[in-house]
Amino acid sequence: MKAVVMAGGEGTRLRPMTANQPKPLLPLVNRPIMEHVLRLLKAHGFSETVVTVQFLAALIRNYFGDGEELGMSLSYATEEIPLGTAGSVKNAEEALRDDRFLVISGDALTDIDLTDMVRFHERNGALVTIGLKRVPNPLEFGIIIVDDEGRVQRFLEKPTWGQVFSDTVNTGIYVMEPEVLEHVAAGEPVDWSGDVFPALLAEGAPLFGYVADCYWEDVGTHESYLKAQADMLSGQVGIDLDGFEMSPGVWVAEGAEVDAEAVLKGPLYIGDYAKVEAGVELREYTVLGSNVVVKEGAFLHRAIVHDNVFVAPSTNLRGCVVGKNTDVMAGARVEEGAVIGDECVIEAEAYVSSGVKVYPFKTIEAGAVVNTSVIWESRGQRNLFGPRGVSGLVNVEITPELAVRLASAYATTLKKGTTVVTGRDVSRAARTLKRAVNSALTASAINVDDLEATPLTVARFETGREDAVGGIYIRTTLGDPQGVDIIFLDPDGADLSQNAQRKLERVFGRQEYRRAFPGEIAELTYPPRVVETYTRDLLRRVDIRGVREAGLKIVLDCAGGVASLVLPNLLGKVGVEVLTRNAGLDEANPTETLAERMRDLERLGELVSSSRAAFGVRFDPVGERISLVDENGELVGDDRALLVMLDLVAAERGARAEQGRVALPVTTTRVAEQVCRFHGVQVEWTSTSQDVLTKAAAQRSVIFAGDGRGGFLMPEFSGTVDGIAAFVRLVGLVARTRLTLSQIDRRIPDAHLLRRSVPTPWAAKGSVMRHVVEAAGDRTIDTTDGVRVVEDDGRWVLVLPDPAEAVTHLWAEGPDTDAAQALLEEWAVVVERAGT
């Protein structure tokens, strides 16, 4: 039985370590990752192996040759272009067509029992057996669910937290029958998990999952690279280390010289012919490569030092990686998470701070302090993007320098000569950062249409209307005057999708920005009459019939934000009597706290009641979301406001005997279904992700969408959240229905939907979701976003991991508050127990 080792990956996330060598050749305790894989294969009887190569293929072939030194027979299948995980194996079909074979990655560390996995495959008569492992954070892997017999039930490749329904992931280790290659197109990029396996599952093919009780680490990041070495030194992996154990946990390879006055605190590893002088202190999880010299007074802790490195006296290396043939001179200091590439020189007294990446063949001058000037990483955040775009404290986390890098990364993902729309709220911080963004875009050959201070809704509209390929909008973080959000828009004016965010993050992380040649520097323009165009199109597309005849009086609160730049021009054409407050632009207070918002809503209610207005509307500072007050001055909560708007839209559509659909997130009360059913309208449930809701609203048959947080989408005008358009639509609906908001609210059934958040460590999130699925048993589950468990009596609970914080959110709905509370408590206990 043959094996296939996939060794064609570039390992871009591991740069600069992989800048000039392929990922499978990266050393783990002085052996290439792929050598550990080949030794595992040899131990389980796989002596005949095909290696698929693509990136820097010659280096792999030159290192391993024909495999004779390992007692194996190696052959190579070279890809001219990347063919994906399945395409690369298809490329080696000539050597695999006679018998079943095993596929394994050449860049993951594992001690899986391959013999037992093959027996499992044979016992079940499987076409494909997939090696599975339970991991704390399943986001970067393919999730697979199997039944009690091990048969595969479902696949999900690289999910978001809202899609996580298990912590059992695909290790990329497969046992396959040769017939499976008939399902792979030749010469085309094809993936097992994304293309082949789902198709086979749909055909009912016997696909099985082998849940391995083993060590497995996908060495794909700098953190996992350090972790794998620490795990090897601490004995968590079933492999042999070269050399002898000089004292407990201190391994020394052949020919190494260690002075008796050196301080060694294991576990650690000293490579062959390395030299450690007196006065050196080597601490836990340090690995020295071959021929490394460490001079007196040096201190190394959790440092990975590759071959032929010179470490001068009084240096300090902590939690870092130093590439081969590098010199670290006297008194230099390299901090946690830093990576020094091959053949660099770190001169005396230089300081390389945490997270800095120094690419190969660079010299850091004596006394230099290198922090963000070489390669700037992710500010310690788990992800670059959060729920509000890229967010942080002004001039602490979000600086003009960062804005330049972000805009440069965004520009690099776009074609030269295209146009991007930029805009901002009223704050001075946003103005400053937008200037930096504009400079970076034009310097990257991207034309800029600068809308200056404008509502976010107008920026979205203008991005989708013009020939722009995207947009950037900068605003003060809601409720935090010290924070700022940088929001990136797609060609339709919607927030970037998850895939587009990941693409931007990859460019930003590598700091590989495109620059324009002098003749390519792009233009910065200020489009005229944008507000007039927005107003004209809004009134042309949104139905305002009957408004003038109704003689409505409305009170508006602009929150001192940019909505006031649009409303005066708009309101004169709508035909309503308006009392406006907080209409001036307030640079000093560009956002509002929750207390300030509630105070202003209370004041708005008083004005509505005393002036006998039809209702009141308060805009957020960028005009994107609205809050409603009824004719009695009572606040209509966001969840009820969604139902009121839904009832009005659905009733009018139903009266025309026209079928339609509304798009709502799964966190919405199921009372919405009752409202829609009454009016003959259908509901399409979506995930809570804003870009998913936006895509759903773009479908032809969708007549309305809302997110339950004051955000409404009017598909007849725009496919994005728009508070101003929602206000105009509401005016028309109320004018024609001749009912007050309180009357509409009263005819809608009460909802009993409760919410709770449970603290959950990041490492336990996948396990929590698996336990939720298991606890559901035979009950109906819905995995549109998170896991929604539906009881036989219609009660339901939704468990959804937060994508940005270490918490899990729960929603529960029942026929009354007590029933919803009991259900919420029941499942909160499940989540709490699974998260401990």
Side-chain angles (χ1 to χ4, degrees), residues 563-800:
S564 59
L565 298 173
V566 175
L567 290 172
N569 184 56
L570 176 68
L571 293 171
K573 299 174 182 178
V574 171
V576 293
E577 181 181 349
V578 176
L579 173 62
T580 305
R581 66 186 307 267
N582 292 326
L585 298 181
D586 190 350
E587 288 188 355
N589 298 287
T591 188
E592 56 187 3
T593 65
L594 179 60
E596 290 170 340
R597 176 173 176 268
M598 298 310 297
R599 179 200 65 201
D600 284 354
L601 283 170
E602 183 178 354
R603 177 58 181 152
L604 176 64
E606 293 171 355
L607 289 173
V608 170
S609 177
S610 62
S611 64
R612 298 184 179 180
F615 59 87
V617 174
R618 188 173 197 274
F619 295 90
D620 73 5
V622 294
E624 188 172 41
R625 299 177 185 277
I626 59 174
S627 300
L628 302 182
V629 171
D630 68 18
E631 75 283 2
N632 301 314
E634 297 295 327
L635 173 65
V636 183
D638 287 344
D639 52 348
R640 296 301 293 183
L642 175 59
L643 293 176
V644 166
M645 186 74 89
L646 176 62
D647 183 72
L648 285 167
V649 172
E652 189 165 88
R653 187 62 174 247
R656 300 177 190 169
E658 298 178 11
Q659 290 294 316
R661 292 184 299 146
V662 300
L664 301 172
V666 291
T667 51
T668 307
T669 170
R670 266 41 187 184
V671 169
E673 277 187 329
Q674 300 178 40
V675 172
C676 289
R677 193 182 306 117
F678 181 80
H679 297 297
V681 175
Q682 296 179 337
V683 178
E684 177 179 338
W685 299 107
T686 76
S687 80
T688 54
S689 171
Q690 198 70 37
D691 68 288
V692 174
L693 185 64
T694 300
K695 289 176 183 175
Q699 299 176 66
R700 185 180 298 274
S701 60
V702 173
I703 59 173
F704 172 77
D707 61 13
R709 296 179 287 113
F712 301 98
L713 293 85
M714 302 296 137
E716 67 268 35
F717 171 66
S718 171
T720 60
V721 172
D722 190 324
I724 297 173
F727 159 67
V728 174
R729 183 82 164 103
L730 179 63
V731 169
L733 290 166
V734 171
R736 290 188 295 276
T737 195
R738 303 285 179 163
L739 295 175
T740 66
L741 292 191
S742 66
Q743 289 173 329
I744 299 166
D745 191 10
R746 282 196 299 270
R747 75 183 186 184
I748 300 172
D750 288 336
H752 303 284
L753 178 63
L754 303 179
R755 176 178 174 176
R756 179 174 172 180
S757 297
V758 177
T760 307
W762 281 102
K765 283 191 175 184
S767 175
V768 164
M769 300 311 292
R770 174 169 56 84
H771 279 85
V772 168
V773 172
E774 292 171 353
D778 296 332
R779 284 169 283 196
T780 301
I781 65 170
D782 172 16
T783 56
T784 300
D785 200 9
V787 174
R788 190 171 76 95
V789 183
V790 184
E791 303 284 350
D792 293 338
D793 59 3
R795 294 179 301 146
W796 60 270
V797 64
L798 173 67
V799 183
L800 180 63

Side-chain angles (χ1 to χ4, degrees), residues 302-574:
R302 291 182 294 108
I304 308 299
V305 181
H306 292 177
D307 297 346
N308 305 308
V309 169
F310 175 80
V311 181
S314 302
T315 53
N316 194 305
L317 309 180
R318 296 173 180 267
C320 60
V321 179
V322 179
K324 61 180 181 288
N325 302 317
T326 288
D327 295 335
V328 184
M329 307 309 289
R333 186 181 182 100
V334 184
E335 292 287 6
E336 294 275 347
V339 179
I340 310 299
D342 296 344
E343 303 196 54
C344 290
V345 177
I346 311 299
E347 293 186 346
E349 303 293 333
Y351 178 85
V352 180
S353 64
S354 299
V356 163
K357 309 295 184 286
V358 179
Y359 273 59
F361 313 110
K362 299 291 193 298
T363 296
I364 304 300
E365 295 181 353
V369 176
V370 181
N371 39 54
T372 60
S373 60
V374 177
I375 287 186
W376 196 92
E377 275 285 270
S378 62
R379 298 175 290 124
Q381 289 186 343
R382 200 167 186 88
N383 296 299
L384 181 61
F385 280 86
R388 301 178 305 273
V390 180
S391 305
L393 297 175
V394 176
N395 277 341
V396 177
E397 295 168 311
I398 306 293
T399 62
E401 294 86 354
L402 174 63
V404 167
R405 294 187 182 101
L406 282 169
S408 297
Y410 184 52
T412 303
T413 67
L414 308 174
K415 290 184 179 180
K416 286 185 177 182
T418 53
T419 299
V420 164
V421 171
T422 62
R424 63 172 176 88
D425 70 5
V426 301
S427 68
R428 295 172 184 171
R431 177 194 297 152
T432 299
L433 293 171
K434 185 172 63 63
R435 289 169 177 167
V437 164
N438 288 347
S439 297
L441 291 172
T442 53
S444 301
I446 300 296
N447 296 307
V448 176
D449 281 351
D450 186 358
L451 306 185
E452 302 182 275
T454 192
L456 176 53
T457 55
V458 175
R460 292 187 188 277
F461 168 80
E462 190 69 10
T463 301
R465 186 183 72 88
E466 293 294 323
D467 58 353
V469 296
I472 299 177
Y473 189 89
I474 304 172
R475 69 177 182 188
T476 307
T477 301
L478 188 63
D480 182 7
Q482 304 301 317
V484 69
D485 305 328
I486 302 179
I487 302 169
F488 292 85
L489 308 179
D490 69 11
D492 297 321
D495 291 356
L496 286 186
S497 67
Q498 295 277 351
N499 287 338
Q501 289 180 13
R502 286 171 176 165
K503 182 178 179 182
L504 195 157
E505 283 183 342
R506 285 196 295 270
V507 176
F508 179 80
R510 295 198 298 265
Q511 302 287 298
E512 296 174 353
Y513 306 136
R514 180 184 68 216
R515 289 286 179 259
F517 296 109
E520 296 178 323
I521 301 296
E523 292 186 357
L524 171 63
T525 58
Y526 300 89
R529 296 183 295 280
V530 171
V531 170
E532 289 85 346
T533 303
Y534 172 84
T535 301
R536 183 192 67 233
D537 280 22
L538 176 60
L539 295 178
R540 189 173 65 215
R541 299 182 195 177
V542 175
D543 191 354
I544 57 171
R545 290 177 296 111
V547 172
R548 290 188 181 276
E549 294 78 2
L552 296 177
K553 179 190 289 187
I554 299 168
V555 183
L556 296 182
D557 188 337
C558 298
V562 285
S564 59
L565 298 173
V566 175
L567 290 172
N569 184 56
L570 176 68
L571 293 171
K573 299 174 182 178
V574 171

